[in-house]
Amino acid sequence: MVVSLAQIRERSGEVFVEGCPTRVVLDHIMSKWGVLVLLALTDGTHRWGELRREVEGISEKMLASTLRTLEADGLVARTSYPEVPPRVEYALTDRGDDLMRHMLPLVEWVAREADGIVAR
Amino acid sequence: MVVSLAQIRERSGEVFVEGCPTRVVLDHIMSKWGVLVLLALTDGTHRWGELRREVEGISEKMLASTLRTLEADGLVARTSYPEVPPRVEYALTDRGDDLMRHMLPLVEWVAREADGIVAR
DNA sequence: CTGGATCCAAGACGATACTG
DNA sequence: CAGTATCGTCTTGGATCCAG
């Protein structure tokens, strides 16, 4: 690829330095469950229980903690309705939407190539 | 975002199913160190020791294991030269190069937005 | 110099039970 | 329904030593 390390550093900031913001955010959104939750929210608002079922294999604990992290990062918006029984909805914020616009092509590439990669 | 879940499923395969190839590969390349190693290799061939210094904070164990995984996935090529002292070089394969073409925009987005995200 | 092998700590993660 | 709390497990990852 015709990209110099200097260019990468310039364009990707301090990504190679420990504890820099880029690495922190990268760890959040590229985490095992972060990607899947964000992906599930890409087609719109979801309730807690929907996400729980959508993202196969996630535990309640990890769903809660993943959502809290993404919410703190301003990527996911949480809306709770004062009803009985309770209803809470999660959706991408504008920033989260922007993020997914950049992440979706990558996920699609992986989905296309995955079979050829693992099957060796 | 104007993407339906059905579309995502169609375009991203079985990503929501446990143990599917897409999830496995996703875990490899989106792992804490996988991203950084791939990123470091984006500007060309690197020696072991260079990578060690380049990717700040990585331990020898994690570098070795990350490289072995990426090599097994056909994303990184390892070339060892029968010299004394030994010299080993790592580079992206064509497939790895293709991958980075899709991942770089995402990393750049994160680098741009990271400060605003963490600083809250 | 390039790793492999081993041991150990810390955090991630899962299962379950429980509450507003 | 939407979580929280607690506990126990297990993987991740670091440190160190050693070998080709």
Side-chain angles (χ1 to χ4, degrees):
Chain A
M1 192 172 293
V2 287
V3 173
S4 76
L5 231 202
Q7 279 181 297
I8 296 178
R9 288 188 176 287
E10 185 183 338
R11 302 194 302 194
S12 304
E14 307 279 340
V15 67
F16 289 113
V17 178
E18 273 193 278
C20 68
T22 304
R23 271 207 194 178
V24 173
V25 176
L26 230 35
D27 279 351
H28 292 176
I29 67 174
M30 313 274 273
S31 72
K32 178 180 173 65
W33 300 118
V35 192
L36 296 175
V37 169
L38 286 168
L39 212 52
L41 289 175
T42 299
D43 79 320
T45 300
H46 281 268
R47 298 185 58 171
W48 165 276
E50 291 173 344
L51 288 173
R52 181 99 170 76
R53 267 169 279 118
E54 198 73 59
V55 183
E56 193 172 307
I58 195 170
S59 67
E60 295 188 351
K61 177 180 177 179
M62 289 321 294
L63 179 55
S65 116
T66 300
L67 283 172
R68 260 187 275 113
T69 300
L70 295 177
E71 194 194 350
D73 286 347
L75 298 169
V76 166
R78 177 185 186 276
T79 313
S80 83
Y81 299 88
E83 307 173 351
V84 178
R87 180 164 59 100
V88 180
E89 292 187 341
Y90 294 90
L92 292 180
T93 61
D94 287 346
R95 172 180 269 157
D97 201 77
D98 196 26
L99 165 64
M100 292 316 286
R101 245 185 283 279
H102 290 81
M103 189 187 291
L104 221 41
L106 173 60
V107 176
E108 288 170 9
W109 182 91
V110 173
R112 280 198 308 275
E113 303 284 328
D115 287 325
I117 290 179
V118 175
R120 55 180 53 227
Chain B
M1 192 172 292
V2 287
V3 174
S4 77
L5 230 202
Q7 278 181 297
I8 297 177
R9 288 188 177 287
E10 185 184 337
R11 301 195 302 193
S12 304
E14 308 278 339
V15 67
F16 289 115
V17 178
E18 273 193 278
C20 69
T22 305
R23 270 208 195 178
V24 173
V25 176
L26 230 35
D27 280 350
H28 291 176
I29 67 173
M30 313 273 276
S31 72
K32 177 181 172 66
W33 299 117
V35 190
L36 297 175
V37 169
L38 286 168
L39 211 53
L41 289 175
T42 300
D43 79 321
T45 300
H46 281 268
R47 298 186 57 172
W48 164 277
E50 291 173 343
L51 288 172
R52 180 97 172 76
R53 267 170 278 119
E54 198 72 58
V55 183
E56 193 172 307
I58 196 171
S59 69
E60 295 187 350
K61 176 182 176 179
M62 282 302 109
L63 179 55
S65 114
T66 300
L67 284 170
R68 259 187 278 114
T69 300
L70 295 177
E71 194 195 350
D73 286 347
L75 298 170
V76 166
R78 177 184 187 277
T79 313
S80 82
Y81 298 87
E83 309 172 350
V84 179
R87 179 165 59 102
V88 181
E89 293 187 341
Y90 294 90
L92 292 181
T93 61
D94 287 346
R95 172 182 269 156
D97 201 77
D98 196 26
L99 165 64
M100 293 316 287
R101 246 186 281 280
H102 290 82
M103 188 187 291
L104 222 40
L106 173 60
V107 176
E108 288 169 11
W109 182 90
V110 173
R112 280 198 309 276
E113 301 285 328
D115 288 324
I117 289 179
V118 174
R120 54 181 53 228

